[in-house]
Amino acid sequence: VGTDMKFGLFQSVQLPEPEAQARYYKEALEQVLWAEQLGFNSVWITEHHFSRHGIVSATLPVLAYLAGVTSAIRLGTAVAVLPFHNPIQLAEEAATVDLLSNGRLDFGVGRGYQWGEFHKLHIPMEEANRRFEEAMEVITRAWTATEPFQHHGEFWTFNDMTVHPRPVQIPHPPVWVAASSHDSIDRVAQHNWNLLIGQGEAFPQVGQQVAYFRAALGEAGFSYSPDRVVAARAMYTAPSLEQARRDTQGPFMWFKQTGQEVGAPPDHRVELLPEDFREYRRRFSREASLDYEAMLHNVVLFGTPDQVAERIERLRQAGVENLIFFVNYGGIENRKVLASLELFAKEVMPRFKD
């Protein structure tokens, strides 16, 4: 088999029942503690704003809390949406989590993609790439500069800057970048960052992206290894496919539907998405359909332990050795999530350990 595969959680909190925010948070955090006990290796928290589709709007405080109640599991942002943040403040907060967790932070970053979030914050989507680039430059310098630095950019100006605390990991926490198009994967490779593959990509695309990243890193003069890629997948395992389908269909479709609502421009006017978001125009078009059966076959890991393991084996052969699982969608019952994690740990995980 080669090396062991690593499995983690890609954790989100949503709000199907508007009055139940405290319970949803409590359950999501309980799932993380259970996953650590079962031998999962990491938890990554996703950032969303201003809608019931995702109510973790402040990921680093949540990770700081988790740093205090966990001991071994790695703690990731998946992702910090850089255009929405002051980069110095983000560098300070992320370094603080790295310190409090004794060096367990994985710093996942992205440019964002949801029209509604950019609109409400009054940030033009056209600026997303440039804001992302500038923020990464500032954050990296803040963590590594050996003397005070100046920064005079398009969006931010900082004078005589020194940031404390420093991250514990040297030179800084691993940087993971969400990217799917060739342009964006090229940018990741040129900076020698690591790659995060989203949970919405179909299985064949995941393999293509790994292969493309590997080649792009080589061209940029850097070395590839499988531990430089993390792929996210929705996952649920149950004793029968019928049960897996019954338990997931309603909650997962709620999650997908609300994602379309917050992500799409008003009236699906996808021409409002700039050219460098063109791959999202199809996804958010009026014609885009959400087909549970198609996703069951092409995208998600729902099924019996055998079925889930077979899919993971296909991903492993495509070059994926780090998988993070989206398990908490659309208010799915907490006990079902805990049972699925346990079944996965008992029946699936051992097959991928050397």
Side-chain angles (χ1 to χ4, degrees), residues 9 35 70 89 112 136 152 169 171 184 202 206 212-213 225 227 232 242 247 255-256 268 272 295:
L9 292 194
T70 59
Q89 193 174 355
M136 276 312 300
H152 299 286
Q169 297 176 87
S184 51
V206 174
Y212 188 86
F213 179 54
S225 61
D227 60 5
E242 292 69 43
D247 291 349
F255 169 79
K256 296 302 279 189
H268 298 279
L272 293 173
M295 290 189 282

Side-chain angles (χ1 to χ4, degrees), residues 126-137:
E126 287 75 7
E127 295 176 0
N129 278 337
R130 303 199 310 281
R131 284 179 176 272
F132 175 89
E133 289 275 345
E134 184 173 339
M136 276 312 300
E137 188 187 326

Side-chain angles (χ1 to χ4, degrees), residues 5-269:
M5 283 192 72
K6 291 190 182 127
F7 301 109
L9 292 194
F10 172 57
Q11 191 71 330
S12 143
V13 186
Q14 296 125 55
L15 192 63
E17 290 175 36
E19 303 306 308
Q21 65 171 26
R23 175 170 65 84
Y24 288 134
Y25 260 81
K26 185 166 170 276
E27 292 173 352
L29 296 168
E30 185 188 339
Q31 290 160 16
V32 174
L33 298 184
W34 184 229
E36 182 178 48
Q37 248 178 294
L38 291 170
F40 286 84
N41 163 269
S42 62
V43 56
W44 304 65
I45 308 277
T46 179
E47 170 187 329
H48 283 296
H49 298 275
F50 321 127
S51 92
R52 290 160 59 200
H53 175 71
I55 62 165
V56 182
S57 51
T59 50
L60 287 162
V62 173
L63 292 176
Y65 169 83
L66 283 171
V69 295
T70 59
S71 56
I73 201 165
R74 289 191 64 82
L75 306 168
T77 53
V79 296
V81 183
L82 296 189
F84 300 166
H85 298 280
N86 175 320
I88 290 293
Q89 193 174 355
L90 201 56
E92 291 173 333
E93 290 180 8
T96 302
V97 171
D98 200 44
L99 178 71
L100 293 174
S101 65
N102 299 316
R104 288 187 277 146
L105 179 69
D106 281 297
F107 191 58
V109 291
R111 61 175 182 164
Y113 66 91
Q114 295 193 332
W115 187 89
E117 293 179 336
F118 280 92
H119 173 68
K120 289 176 182 184
L121 287 167
H122 201 66
I123 294 170
M125 278 186 104
E126 287 75 7
E127 295 176 0
N129 278 337
R130 303 199 310 281
R131 284 179 176 272
F132 175 89
E133 289 275 345
E134 184 173 339
M136 276 312 300
E137 188 187 326
V138 171
I139 291 166
T140 310
R141 283 188 80 183
W143 284 342
T144 56
T146 51
E147 51 193 40
F149 68 92
Q150 317 290 331
H151 174 83
H152 299 286
E154 181 184 357
F155 304 104
W156 300 99
T157 298
F158 302 107
N159 306 311
D160 195 26
M161 178 57 71
T162 305
V163 166
H164 297 287
R166 309 286 281 201
V168 174
Q169 297 176 87
I170 304 296
H172 55 72
V175 172
W176 301 84
V177 182
S180 58
S181 66
H182 285 181
D183 290 350
S184 51
I185 294 176
D186 283 336
R187 183 166 57 226
V188 177
Q190 283 149 14
H191 287 92
N192 202 22
W193 294 323
N194 304 297
L195 180 65
L196 269 176
I197 298 177
Q199 55 129 353
E201 308 283 345
F203 291 115
Q205 284 168 295
V206 174
Q208 288 161 13
Q209 287 177 18
V210 172
Y212 188 86
F213 179 54
R214 182 178 197 149
L217 268 179
E219 277 174 43
F222 301 114
S223 58
Y224 170 85
S225 61
D227 60 5
R228 302 201 51 181
V229 176
V230 164
R233 282 297 93 168
M235 192 280 287
Y236 186 81
T237 187
S240 71
L241 179 60
E242 292 69 43
Q243 188 193 331
R245 181 180 265 137
R246 196 169 59 239
D247 291 349
T248 57
Q249 185 160 5
F252 190 67
M253 293 309 280
W254 184 92
F255 169 79
K256 296 302 279 189
Q257 190 56 50
T258 55
Q260 289 292 96
E261 287 161 16
V262 65
D267 304 326
H268 298 279
R269 281 160 47 213

